[in-house]
Amino acid sequence: QQQVKQSPQSLIVQKGGISIINCAYENTAFDYFPWYQQFPGKGPALLIAIRPDVSEKKEGRFTISFNKSAKQFSLHIMDSQPGDSATYFCAAVLQGGSEKLVFGKGTKLTVNP
Amino acid sequence: GAGVSQSPRYKVAKRGQDVALRCDPISGHVSLFWYQQALGQGPEFLTYFQNEAQLDKSGLPSDRFFAERPEGSVSTLKIQRTQQEDSAVYLCASSLGRAYIGETQYFGPGTRLLVL
């Protein structure tokens, strides 16, 4: 059972454009939502994260928008650069659990020069 | 070391062989996680240690999978009688502790296992 649904599966944008990746969840017990970036041959690395009591969080060119009532959250990458080309995973953590990450299936982002 | 290290980086096994995958977490990190990442998929949780205690093994797919962290530092994931469906990248992650929800997990580069 996929607990975190992510879309699109792949995304191509031009340099300078905005990349938007969406995720949705069902379990309201999730209370922490990180985004991870993974380059080929590397492990995932934390990019940015949000708690459900906040509707938006911005760090540099990366912004998370969170809609608690809709149980949806999204990652926006402003001024996308070729170096942003990677696979992005949204994830969720259950309150009171073992803090294991529940990942979406990933979005492969390609930023063309 | 500066980060989480895993060895070997690549492992080819014949079906039915046993394999052992090693994880060296960041020094001083209390929590250690193992994840399995199939090709083109997101990582899936296997098991979690807090120091030497295995607190959650709900993600281990079968009794052929076994993990240990006897001294609360290095961890080993063992897969017995490997099957082709075990082919995946096995990721290890560590975090400082349970100080707060959502503590950052730092991932190693993974071990790519191919079972022929």
Side-chain angles (χ1 to χ4, degrees):
Chain A
Q1 180 184 4
Q2 186 183 1
Q3 297 193 56
V4 180
K5 294 184 178 181
Q6 184 172 347
S7 64
Q9 187 174 356
S10 62
L11 181 62
I12 301 175
V13 301
Q14 292 300 119
K15 178 182 176 181
I18 302 174
S19 304
I20 302 174
I21 304 171
N22 301 297
C23 285
Y25 63 98
E26 289 296 324
N27 192 338
T28 56
F30 286 134
D31 70 346
Y32 178 69
F33 301 89
W35 285 86
Y36 278 79
Q37 179 189 55
Q38 186 176 31
F39 292 103
K42 304 291 186 182
L46 179 66
L47 191 62
I48 187 173
I50 197 167
R51 299 290 304 274
D53 53 348
V54 176
S55 62
E56 184 175 285
K57 184 174 181 180
K58 182 177 181 179
E59 290 184 1
R61 296 185 293 109
F62 302 92
T63 300
I64 301 178
S65 297
F66 191 87
N67 186 329
K68 188 174 181 178
S69 61
K71 292 185 285 186
Q72 295 176 347
F73 57 110
S74 60
L75 175 70
H76 295 233
I77 306 174
M78 312 299 288
D79 187 26
S80 299
Q81 299 296 312
D84 296 332
S85 297
T87 299
Y88 292 81
F89 295 96
C90 60
V93 178
L94 272 173
Q95 181 181 30
S98 63
E99 297 187 35
K100 63 186 178 185
L101 293 163
V102 179
F103 284 91
K105 289 192 173 184
T107 297
K108 185 176 181 179
L109 171 66
T110 301
V111 181
N112 289 327
Chain B
V4 178
S5 61
Q6 293 186 244
S7 60
R9 291 295 313 278
Y10 303 93
K11 177 69 178 177
V12 179
K14 292 182 179 179
R15 189 174 57 179
Q17 276 186 329
D18 297 349
V19 298
L21 312 180
R22 177 187 169 105
C23 172
D24 284 80
I26 294 173
S27 179
H29 277 198
V30 169
S31 298
L32 186 146
F33 303 80
W34 284 98
Y35 294 86
Q36 180 190 58
Q37 186 174 22
L39 188 64
Q41 301 293 314
E44 291 192 358
F45 171 79
L46 293 176
T47 188
Y48 162 63
F49 290 86
Q50 190 176 108
N51 294 307
E52 69 278 3
Q54 189 174 19
L55 300 185
D56 186 348
K57 53 182 180 180
S58 62
L60 295 176
S62 77
D63 59 6
R64 297 186 295 104
F65 287 71
F66 172 77
E68 60 183 5
R69 194 187 185 197
E71 297 179 357
S73 178
V74 172
S75 178
T76 303
L77 176 67
K78 297 179 180 178
I79 309 173
Q80 297 176 327
R81 304 181 304 282
T82 53
Q83 303 295 313
Q84 286 186 324
E85 61 263 28
D86 299 336
S87 295
V89 174
Y90 291 85
L91 295 164
C92 176
S94 70
S95 67
L96 190 56
R98 287 183 63 90
Y100 59 92
I101 184 73
E103 194 153 16
T104 300
Q105 291 185 27
Y106 297 88
F107 282 81
T111 293
R112 183 177 296 275
L113 173 65
L114 177 61
V115 181
L116 302 177

